Amino acid sequence: MANLLPEQKLGYPSSDGKPMAETGIHVQTILMLHAALQDFFKDRPDVFIASDMFWYWELGNPKARTAPDVMIVPGVGNHHRRSFFSWEENGAVPRVVFEMASQSTWKKDLKSKRARYRKLSVPEYVIFDPEALYLPEPLMGFQLKGTRYIRMPLAADGSLGCSLGF
């Protein structure tokens, strides 16, 4: 028992044993987005980028967790973590969460995940359908305005105006 990591002692696992994504294209999309964001923020040591990592937001409740496909958390430092614990990061929540829609997740991405991230006050939520099979549009973004998510319009080139510059 003495060799266990602190989060394991407390019952906060860092893995659920499930695969990272549903298909190879989803894994590639997650990895490419993660790499692009790391490159974009290479001069920002205060920005943490994670993929498929548990985010725990409630101390004492290991079930209060989610594992976004990709999340960006500014202001917390870019160092290794097995999981992200908001209470250990001065209450920090991701600034942007990305989910890759797939056959088994797209309905949850649009409904329950979006509602969860809204409730947790994540300022921006982006859903991408790399196969363009499930969502009304392959790229959908939402910005938190008050207590509601408002759909972000796509630019003429198909991009979103996320505020990655913080």
Side-chain angles (χ1 to χ4, degrees), residues 26-147:
H26 291 86
V27 171
Q28 287 179 317
T29 303
I30 292 166
L31 294 175
M32 288 189 303
L33 176 59
H34 188 108
L37 290 168
Q38 282 185 316
D39 185 56
F40 184 81
F41 289 110
K42 68 181 176 291
D43 296 325
R44 295 279 310 269
D46 64 312
V47 176
F48 178 62
I49 301 162
S51 296
D52 196 36
M53 174 185 280
F54 280 148
W55 163 31
Y56 291 95
W57 59 84
E58 186 178 311
L59 179 62
N61 183 3
K63 292 183 180 183
R65 72 178 187 210
T66 189
D69 287 334
V70 179
M71 64 180 173
I72 304 171
V73 190
V76 297
N78 185 14
H79 59 273
H80 174 73
R81 297 164 174 85
R82 294 182 60 82
S83 297
F84 187 85
F85 300 96
S86 284
W87 62 88
E88 290 181 356
E89 308 281 356
N90 295 318
V93 300
R95 176 71 177 82
V96 184
V97 166
F98 298 88
E99 294 288 357
M100 304 307 146
S102 66
Q103 184 176 8
S104 66
T105 67
W106 73 272
K107 290 178 185 174
K108 291 178 195 170
D109 294 335
L110 280 174
K111 301 282 185 183
S112 60
K113 286 183 188 179
R114 184 171 69 179
R116 176 185 297 143
Y117 295 135
R118 179 190 51 77
K119 184 178 177 188
L120 292 167
S121 299
V122 174
E124 294 178 335
Y125 176 51
V126 178
I127 313 169
F128 178 59
D129 179 355
E131 297 177 291
L133 294 175
Y134 308 106
L135 299 178
E137 295 177 19
L139 182 63
M140 299 175 70
F142 303 88
Q143 284 186 320
L144 194 61
K145 301 287 184 190
T147 59

Side-chain angles (χ1 to χ4, degrees), residues 5 7-8 12-16 52-54 56 82-83:
L5 296 168
E7 67 262 25
Q8 292 170 321
Y12 296 93
S14 59
S15 173
D16 60 7
D52 196 36
M53 174 185 280
F54 280 148
Y56 291 95
R82 294 182 60 82
S83 297

